[in-house]
Amino acid sequence: MTVNRGKSTGKNLGVLISGRGTNLQSILDAVSAGRLDARIAIVISNREDAAGLERARGAGVDTLVLDHRAHESREAYDAELIDALQSRQVDLVCLAGFMRILSPAFIEAFPNRILNIHPSLLPAFPGINPPYQAWEHGVKISGATVHLVDESLDGGPIVRQEALEVLASDTAESLAARILEIEHRIYPEAIAHVLRGGWRIEGRRFVRQEAG
């Protein structure tokens, strides 16, 4: 059992991206507004053309491009990624559209300190394009999940979820857009909760400790 106690303030975040960076923007906005008491120490992308890099630079946040194609193996890439994060004393790693499967060595380097946002109500529809999977399957309820990352695919302990009704008028694209609005709201809130502490891991369950 892993236990995390106490309040944490002013922690360092490392955000990993591969694309637009809209969830990165929600984190940047939460920090700027004082809703998230943390500092984004570095934003790292595996793609030089990721639009999220400009979001970070526009906010005065340090950025780094580590092209996975320049490394001979996933392990070699992740070793450089670990060094970049640890050298900046990152307390929590936040995946925000990072399209890479992390190696066991990376997960071991940041135990229970990696968060991911996923656009479905896990364990339903892990993997690629969950809103399309949900829409095609004909589900009536979908949503978003923030979870700690372990070695399973989108299978770590669930920190927070929020649901929405799938409308008869929804397309896969409109459903994805509505789920994204939830992601932008709950991801910074979940990050703040994890940083504050007051939780523990029992098996695969994220348990909030009672006050007092």
Side-chain angles (χ1 to χ4, degrees):
M1 181 177 71
T2 299
V3 179
N4 184 302
R5 295 189 177 91
K7 293 185 177 181
S8 299
T9 59
K11 296 291 188 178
N12 287 331
L13 304 179
V15 184
L16 308 187
I17 65 171
S18 295
R20 296 178 300 168
T22 65
N23 273 303
L24 165 63
Q25 188 65 58
S26 74
I27 299 169
L28 289 166
D29 291 345
V31 171
S32 178
R35 290 182 283 109
L36 177 55
D37 186 9
R39 170 181 172 268
I40 302 179
I42 187 71
V43 171
I44 302 176
S45 175
N46 66 312
R47 295 177 57 93
E48 187 176 16
D49 61 351
L53 290 168
E54 289 306 313
R55 295 178 187 270
R57 292 165 186 156
V61 174
D62 287 343
T63 63
L64 178 64
V65 175
L66 293 178
D67 190 338
H68 61 279
R69 296 169 298 182
H71 296 74
E72 61 183 15
S73 68
R74 181 167 58 129
E75 290 74 19
Y77 178 79
D78 281 7
E80 188 170 351
L81 201 56
I82 291 167
D83 287 344
L85 293 164
Q86 289 182 338
S87 69
R88 291 164 174 84
Q89 299 180 314
V90 164
D91 299 289
L92 185 68
V93 180
C94 301
L95 309 183
F98 187 60
M99 304 304 291
R100 296 279 300 166
I101 295 176
L102 298 170
S103 66
F106 188 96
I107 293 164
E108 289 171 8
F110 301 97
N112 290 319
R113 293 194 291 133
I114 310 169
L115 277 180
N116 185 44
I117 181 79
H118 187 79
S120 78
L121 294 178
L122 292 172
F125 309 118
I128 300 298
N129 204 351
Y132 177 80
Q133 293 185 57
W135 176 81
E136 185 180 46
H137 198 80
V139 300
K140 304 306 181 186
I141 301 292
S142 190
T145 302
V146 182
H147 66 95
L148 292 168
V149 175
D150 61 15
E151 293 185 28
S152 61
L153 177 63
D154 298 324
I158 292 170
V159 176
R160 181 162 181 182
Q161 291 181 305
E162 186 172 317
L164 55 68
E165 180 182 1
V166 180
L167 305 175
S169 58
D170 267 324
T171 63
E173 291 76 17
S174 67
L175 178 59
R178 295 200 297 123
I179 291 174
L180 189 60
E181 292 178 2
I182 292 176
E183 294 179 54
H184 293 167
R185 181 170 63 257
I186 70 172
Y187 202 12
E189 293 174 356
I191 293 168
H193 183 80
V194 169
L195 290 178
R196 283 195 302 268
W199 53 270
R200 66 183 185 274
I201 300 298
E202 293 182 355
R204 56 160 294 102
R205 297 177 62 237
F206 181 93
V207 180
R208 300 171 189 268
Q209 295 177 191
E210 296 295 331

